[in-house]
């Protein structure tokens, strides 16, 4: 574990430390001098809750995190003037949206849970963006499409079954917790697919390709599970 920076150490007042210790929060340093906290209280509360379809709100093997953790990845350009989102493949009307074009689409703001394969979950965070289902409708997805391939900077891809990608809670997000998406979290735009492990929600998104045949992506070809359902603990193939 790396040592927190002096600035972070100074911010941990005795009162805050005692309060966190009393609530069962584990304080961990995860690189760059930043702190992320795994909360036993939030974990216990989440384990007592269920989703609308009756599953436990917190998938097995997960603990609740208090703030979104950046998980690496090669970034693309940070400039919104460079942003282009290509929607192509098995569609009748391929699209290419610039930043203004993305913001002109119907916007949705949803509270979503996300689950990382490394064992943390962030519950009830606010995400704002465009539903992928709306983009698919605008592009006219063909009946032959069976999967969605998310394309991101540096050639990163992730594959998602079409029915799951078109769920109403799947967003192409540009805001998180009321603020523009931060650079470490994928700015200017990332996918958010809450039903699957978080590697299926690529950062620095540049394309959405609808395909007839599955195309396993970056992590899937390196031993990770092709589907990635957190409730089934589909971590590895």
């Amino acid at each position: 574990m790396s040592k927190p920076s002096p600035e972070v150490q100074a911010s941990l007042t005795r009162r805050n430390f005692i309060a966190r210790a009393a609530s069962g929060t584990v304080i961990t340093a995860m690189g760059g001098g930043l702190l992320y906290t795994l909360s036993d209280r939030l974990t216990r509360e989440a384990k007592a809750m269920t989703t609308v379809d009756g599953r436990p709100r917190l998938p097995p093997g997960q603990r609740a995190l208090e703030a979104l953790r950046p998980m690496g990845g090669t970034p693309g350009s940070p400039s919104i003037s460079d942003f282009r989102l290509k929607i192509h493949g098995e569609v009748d009307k391929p699209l290419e949206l610039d930043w203004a074009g993305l913001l002109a689409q119907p916007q949705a703001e949803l509270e979503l849970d996300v689950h990382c394969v490394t064992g943390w979950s962030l519950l009830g965070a606010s995400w704002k963006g465009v539903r992928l289902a709306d983009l698919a409708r605008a592009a006219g997805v063909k009946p032959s499409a069976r999967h969605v391939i998310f394309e991101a900077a540096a050639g990163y891809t992730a594959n998602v079954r079409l029915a799951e990608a078109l769920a109403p809670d799947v967003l192409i997000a540009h805001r998180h917790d009321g603020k523009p998406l931060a650079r470490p979290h994928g700015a200017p735009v990332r996918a958010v697919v809450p039903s699957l492990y978080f590697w299926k929600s690529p950062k620095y998104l540049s394309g959405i390709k609808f395909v007839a045949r599955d195309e396993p992506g970056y992590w899937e070809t390196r031993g990770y599970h092709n589907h990635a359902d957190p409730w089934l603990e589909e971590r590895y193939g």
Side-chain angles (χ1 to χ4, degrees):
M1 180 183 297
S2 59
K3 184 178 180 180
S5 67
E7 292 82 3
V8 173
Q9 288 178 315
S11 71
L12 289 176
T13 66
R14 179 174 177 81
R15 172 182 290 184
N16 286 337
F17 180 82
I18 292 172
R20 290 183 182 278
S23 68
T25 296
V26 177
I27 301 173
T28 58
M30 298 180 179
L34 297 177
L35 291 181
Y36 300 87
T37 54
L38 289 165
S39 171
D40 286 347
R41 176 185 59 80
L42 291 177
T43 299
R44 287 194 304 270
E45 291 175 355
K47 285 183 175 180
M49 302 171 70
T50 57
T51 61
V52 293
D53 58 6
R55 295 180 298 178
R57 184 173 183 184
L58 196 67
Q62 300 294 114
R63 293 183 67 190
L65 197 69
E66 292 188 348
L68 186 62
R69 176 185 174 185
M71 295 299 291
T74 302
S77 171
S79 173
I80 59 174
S81 64
D82 293 335
F83 172 76
R84 297 293 185 277
L85 182 66
K86 185 178 180 181
I87 303 159
H88 61 120
E90 296 292 306
V91 298
D92 292 322
K93 298 172 288 184
L95 303 174
E96 185 169 280
L97 300 176
D98 60 12
W99 186 250
L102 182 72
L103 297 185
Q105 301 297 313
Q107 302 290 305
E109 187 164 6
L110 306 175
E111 289 189 358
L112 303 173
D113 299 344
V114 296
H115 310 288
C116 182
V117 70
T118 61
W120 60 260
S121 296
L122 182 66
L123 307 178
S126 174
W127 300 89
K128 184 175 181 179
V130 180
R131 285 187 169 93
L132 178 54
D134 288 338
L135 295 177
R137 192 175 301 111
V141 175
K142 296 179 180 179
S144 54
R146 294 291 182 271
H147 300 267
V148 168
I149 310 300
F150 290 113
E151 302 170 325
Y156 183 96
T157 61
N159 56 328
V160 176
R161 296 172 184 175
L162 182 67
E164 291 169 316
L166 298 185
D169 59 357
V170 174
L171 290 181
I172 306 305
H174 54 84
R175 295 181 71 85
H176 169 61
D177 280 348
K179 299 178 182 179
L181 196 63
R183 186 76 174 138
H185 300 316
V189 168
R190 75 173 301 155
V192 180
V193 186
S195 66
L196 302 176
Y197 280 125
F198 209 31
W199 89 76
K200 295 284 192 176
S201 299
K203 302 189 291 186
Y204 317 115
L205 197 66
S206 60
I208 301 166
K209 182 169 68 170
F210 293 88
V211 297
R213 299 181 63 183
D214 194 16
E215 299 177 12
Y218 179 89
W219 286 114
E220 293 79 17
T221 59
R222 289 163 171 78
Y224 282 65
H225 201 281
N226 200 52
H227 181 220
D229 185 323
W231 285 269
L232 299 178
E233 292 196 272
E234 293 176 339
R235 301 176 189 272
Y236 308 107

